[in-house]
């Protein structure tokens, strides 16, 4: 009822605020919600609940409502929920404080925590003015996983839930500021700002705004008590630019390297709540360097002869077919101050894209003009991987030994002026810098979850400040760029997994053998080779303890039971040989098949052992063997790690055994089994061994002690079978070497020792 009441209140707020007017702008409200998500403790990125919201165009205010709740059980303890939020791509997080790879370039996402206690659901609001439009990702998870391994259904943990909801306030008639055309606006109060937008075409170097002509109450003002804000909030390392125009009759504001081919938000707010202020605002765009153009087609079709029928470039690793200068201005002249080289984008797989230069992998660089390469990651599906960039300077091609190649990688807009001291920063984005020279000719960059945008790679050759004669410096750089699901497939000790949140796909690494980190490169807690070998030997060789049960079963003429134990020993041995986290791995068949057979054999062994102890007639025993095994196989297919897969057969077989023993005891008018020796030396040790083994399996296993506790489980369960198997039936002789077997080629025909000679 509380939830329904909250939803009704939200709907009421939505309808009352829809289409309300503020000044000359028309505002509308929208409401978005996700269903509650069950949270998990964190051990890798796959434990995160990732949710995607799309902020519409011309949104001026957004409010998220984050609701955390917990179950009502007695085991539900107080805990915290960590929430990460980021625009343009999934959040890059590091809850375990692990080390990233050496070439990783990232900034951690904005985060905060929700406290979940006994007081009920925690509802937290998160407000943002002038948010960036497009995709916003929210990730939530519980604290670090304690490493405890519990069968499904035996876990005492509580269920915790997280639900995000988004309220949007947007303008449907936002004015457009045309460059060079003054626009008159009025601000009446701080809660009714003037909101405008201006479009930035490609190759724009600077946006200049001038705010002036302020009038208050129909009189000219000497200054403008206004605050001018440029840009949208994206919760990144750079924030929108704010200019306080108080005390200025004319207020200028400049943006260097604004984002190309996008809208820039302009917000003007009043510092005086009592007066209505009118003003005039003008925008001017400064065009930057543009590459030389050869006309509508130029030599485009003549150079496209290097493309084969499949769309791939037949000479992708050499520039013999397509010269370096074919699609690139090698000698800037006149007004040309920028080199641009076309890039071929090839979709390889899910969250996997390859970028290739049309005229080969070599990029010609010069000190006279920067070289610009664009990487199109505008598709929403391109933000779920890792952008990998590898550069190598051709040292022999560099005409000046002391020159340095400065590289800047940025999103939205490039940095076209690079030197020794220039930072790789644009108007609203902090880029990543790389340097190469004769002593350090290689550079690499790995950007996890790159934001959805046009990315730019700028290369420029500069000379050191102390160089007296530098002149024109040129050279070539071998470049390789791709969007990979995981860097190097997470290495030897990791596995790259494709994840999905609704319709959005992304990838992450799950690490093994103690390796940690985003790409499984943090070896601070890695297992040594000796420990990996110890784990492999313990978990596999401990299954040899099933040899004594097999021998005892055969000796007592329990052939079917011995076959089940042999099946269990074989598949458990090779399943654990394949299940090792490190390099000590041997898989004789598919991992899933080995796991299924191991689980099936383990539960079937328990089933046949308890039924054998019941000592029912053979026809009923074998019928129950077959029927139970089929039911167990079905349940394993439905839920392999379910609690009832083991508990169900144990209870059913145990009830059948108890019923058979009670029936015999009533018939014979004495306790069954009849001898105290059977109870003291066989049943009691077997039951104790089985109970200890099951207790270790259910309650004591953790990631750290798994090799010891699970090996002990193998030994204890196998030992219990030796004690629990009933004695041989009296009318059957043991399988062994008899006197008749060594007297010649004779075989017993029946128990009366009637023999026949094998011809």
């Amino acid at each position: 009822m509380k939830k329904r009441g909250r939803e009704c209140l939200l709907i009421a707020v939505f309808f009352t605020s829809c289409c309300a007017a503020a000044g000359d702008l028309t505002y509308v409200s929208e409401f978005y919600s996700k269903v509650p998500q069950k949270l998990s403790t964190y051990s890798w990125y796959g434990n995160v609940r990732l949710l995607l919201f799309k902020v519409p165009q011309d949104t001026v205010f957004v409010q998220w409502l984050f609701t955390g709740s917990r179950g009502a059980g007695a085991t539900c303890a107080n805990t915290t929920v960590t929430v990460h939020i980021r625009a343009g791509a999934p959040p890059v997080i590091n809850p375990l404080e692990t080390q990233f790879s050496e070439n990783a370039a990232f900034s951690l996402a904005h985060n905060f925590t929700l406290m979940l206690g006994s007081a009920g659901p925690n509802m937290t609001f998160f407000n943002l003015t002038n948010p960036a439009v497009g995709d916003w990702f929210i990730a939530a998870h519980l604290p670090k996983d304690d490493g405890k391994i519990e069968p499904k259904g035996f876990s005492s943990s509580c269920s915790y839930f997280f639900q995000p909801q988004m309220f949007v306030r947007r303008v449907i008639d936002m004015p457009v500021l045309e460059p060079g055309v003054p626009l008159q606006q009025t601000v009446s109060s701080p809660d009714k700002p003037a909101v405008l937008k201006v479009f930035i075409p490609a190759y724009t170097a600077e946006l200049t705004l001038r705010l002036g002509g302020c009038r208050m109450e129909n009189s000219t003002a000497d200054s403008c008590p206004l605050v001018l804000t440029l840009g949208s909030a994206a919760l990144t390392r750079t924030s929108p630019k704010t200019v306080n125009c108080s005390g200025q009759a004319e207020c200028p504001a400049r943006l260097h390297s604004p984002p190309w081919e996008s809208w820039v938000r302009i917000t003007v707010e009043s510092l005086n709540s009592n007066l209505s202020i009118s003003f005039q605002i003008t925008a001017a765009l400064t065009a930057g360097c543009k590459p030389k153009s050869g006309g509508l087609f130029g030599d485009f079709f003549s150079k496209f002869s290097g493309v084969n029928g499949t769309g791939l470039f037949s000479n992708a690793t050499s520039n013999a077919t397509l010269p370096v200068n074919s699609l690139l201005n090698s000698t800037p002249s006149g007004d040309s101050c920028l080199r641009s080289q076309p890039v071929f984008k090839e979709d390889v797989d899910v969250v996997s894209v390859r970028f290739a230069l049309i005229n080969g992998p070599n990029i010609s660089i010069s000190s006279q003009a920067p070289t610009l390469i664009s990487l199109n990651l505008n598709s929403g599906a391109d933000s779920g991987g890792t952008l990998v960039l590898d550069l190598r300077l051709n040292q022999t091609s560099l005409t000046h030994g002391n020159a340095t190649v400065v590289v800047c990688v940025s999103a939205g807009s490039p940095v076209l002026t690079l030197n020794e001291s220039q930072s790789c920063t644009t108007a609203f984005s902090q880029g990543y810098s790389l340097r190469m020279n004769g002593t350090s000719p290689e550079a690499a960059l790995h950007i996890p979850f790159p934001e959805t945008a046009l990315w730019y790679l700028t290369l420029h050759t500069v000379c050191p400040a102390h160089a007296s004669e530098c002149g024109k410096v040129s050279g070539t750089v071998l470049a390789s760029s791709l969007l990979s699901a995981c860097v190097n497939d997470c290495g030897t000790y990791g596995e790259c997994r494709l994840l999905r949140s609704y319709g959005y796909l992304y990838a992450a690494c799950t690490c093994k053998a103690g390796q940690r980190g985003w790409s499984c490169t943090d070896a601070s807690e890695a297992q040594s080779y000796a420990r990996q070998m110890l784990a492999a030997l313990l978990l596999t060789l401990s299954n040899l303890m099933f040899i004594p049960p097999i021998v005892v079963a055969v000796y007592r003429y329990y052939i079917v039971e011995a076959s089940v134990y042999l099946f269990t020993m074989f598949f458990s041995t090779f399943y654990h040989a394949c299940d090792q986290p490190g390099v000590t791995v041997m898989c004789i068949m598919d991992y899933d098949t080995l796991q299924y057979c191991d689980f099936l054999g383990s539960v079937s062994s328990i089933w046949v052992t308890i039924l054998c102890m019941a000592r029912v007639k053979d026809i009923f025993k074998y019928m129950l063997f077959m029927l139970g095994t089929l039911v167990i196989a079905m349940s394993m297919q439905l839920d392999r790690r379910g609690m009832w897969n083991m508990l169900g057969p144990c209870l059913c077989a145990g009830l059948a055994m108890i019923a058979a023993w009670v029936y015999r005891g009533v018939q014979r008018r004495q306790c069954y089994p009849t001898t105290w020796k059977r109870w003291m030396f066989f049943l009691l040790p077997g039951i104790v061994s089985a109970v200890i083994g099951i207790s270790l399996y259910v309650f004591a296993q953790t990631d750290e002690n798994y090799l010891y506790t699970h090996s002990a489980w193998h030994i204890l369960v196998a030992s219990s079978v030796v004690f629990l198997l009933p004695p041989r039936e009296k009318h059957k002789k043991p399988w062994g070497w008899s006197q008749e077997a060594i007297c010649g080629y004779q075989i017993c025909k029946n128990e009366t020792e009637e023999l026949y000679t094998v011809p």
Side-chain angles (χ1 to χ4, degrees), residues 507-655:
C509 290
T510 175
C511 305
K512 303 178 291 185
Q515 294 285 136
R516 306 192 305 163
W518 193 267
S519 303
C520 302
T521 55
D522 185 353
S524 58
E525 299 180 6
Q527 297 178 6
S528 64
Y529 179 79
R531 191 175 189 280
Q532 295 179 40
M533 183 60 71
L534 175 64
L537 293 176
L538 280 178
L539 291 169
T540 54
L541 297 183
S542 61
N543 287 284
L544 297 181
M545 283 300 295
F546 273 95
I547 293 178
I550 295 172
V551 173
V552 171
V554 171
Y555 179 79
R556 297 178 181 177
Y557 214 80
Y558 297 123
I559 308 303
V560 175
E561 290 85 342
S563 301
V564 175
Y565 302 150
L566 179 63
F567 179 92
T568 302
M569 181 184 71
F570 178 85
F571 281 103
S572 180
T573 299
F574 286 101
Y575 163 65
H576 286 291
C578 185
D579 189 45
Q580 294 306 303
V583 295
T584 55
V585 180
M586 185 182 73
C587 298
I588 63 171
M589 60 180 68
D590 181 67
Y591 174 85
D592 188 69
T593 303
L594 290 172
Q595 186 188 66
Y596 179 83
C597 293
D598 172 50
F599 287 19
L600 176 63
S602 301
V603 180
S604 298
S605 296
I606 298 174
W607 172 254
V608 300
T609 300
I610 300 177
L611 286 179
C612 184
M613 294 171 62
R615 305 199 72 160
V616 296
K617 290 185 178 181
D618 286 351
I619 186 172
F620 295 111
K621 183 176 75 170
Y622 296 133
M623 180 194 70
L624 291 175
F625 279 2
M626 195 65 186
L627 180 62
T629 303
L630 292 174
V631 173
I632 292 170
M634 178 197 67
S635 65
M636 288 290 174
Q637 183 65 29
L638 294 175
D639 187 2
R640 195 167 299 177
R641 298 184 180 272
M643 173 184 66
W644 287 100
N645 288 338
M646 179 180 294
L647 190 59
C650 288
L651 291 177
C652 293
L655 290 175

Side-chain angles (χ1 to χ4, degrees), residues 461-534:
T461 306
V462 297
C463 291
H466 62 271
S468 57
E469 293 183 2
C470 187
K472 176 184 176 182
V473 181
S474 61
T476 58
V477 172
L478 181 66
S480 172
S481 179
L482 57 94
L483 179 74
S484 175
C486 301
V487 179
N488 297 327
D489 286 333
C490 303
T492 306
Y493 296 99
E495 179 184 354
C496 185
R497 294 188 181 180
L498 187 65
L499 307 173
R500 181 178 66 87
S501 174
Y502 295 88
Y504 179 77
L505 298 175
Y506 58 106
C509 290
T510 175
C511 305
K512 303 178 291 185
Q515 294 285 136
R516 306 192 305 163
W518 193 267
S519 303
C520 302
T521 55
D522 185 353
S524 58
E525 299 180 6
Q527 297 178 6
S528 64
Y529 179 79
R531 191 175 189 280
Q532 295 179 40
M533 183 60 71
L534 175 64

Side-chain angles (χ1 to χ4, degrees), residues 40-44 47 79-82 94-98 141-148 516 525 703-704:
S40 303
T41 54
Y42 185 87
S43 61
W44 69 294
N47 301 129
T79 188
T80 60
V81 178
T82 305
N94 190 19
L96 304 182
E97 298 182 353
T98 57
H141 60 83
L142 295 175
K144 178 184 176 181
D145 184 13
D146 58 5
K148 191 172 183 180
R516 306 192 305 163
E525 299 180 6
D703 292 334
E704 293 295 326

Side-chain angles (χ1 to χ4, degrees), residues 10-21 27-30 168-169:
L10 296 177
I11 294 174
V13 171
F14 166 73
F15 280 112
T16 55
S17 61
C18 180
C19 302
Y27 292 86
V28 295
S29 299
E30 296 176 2
V168 168
R169 188 78 164 166

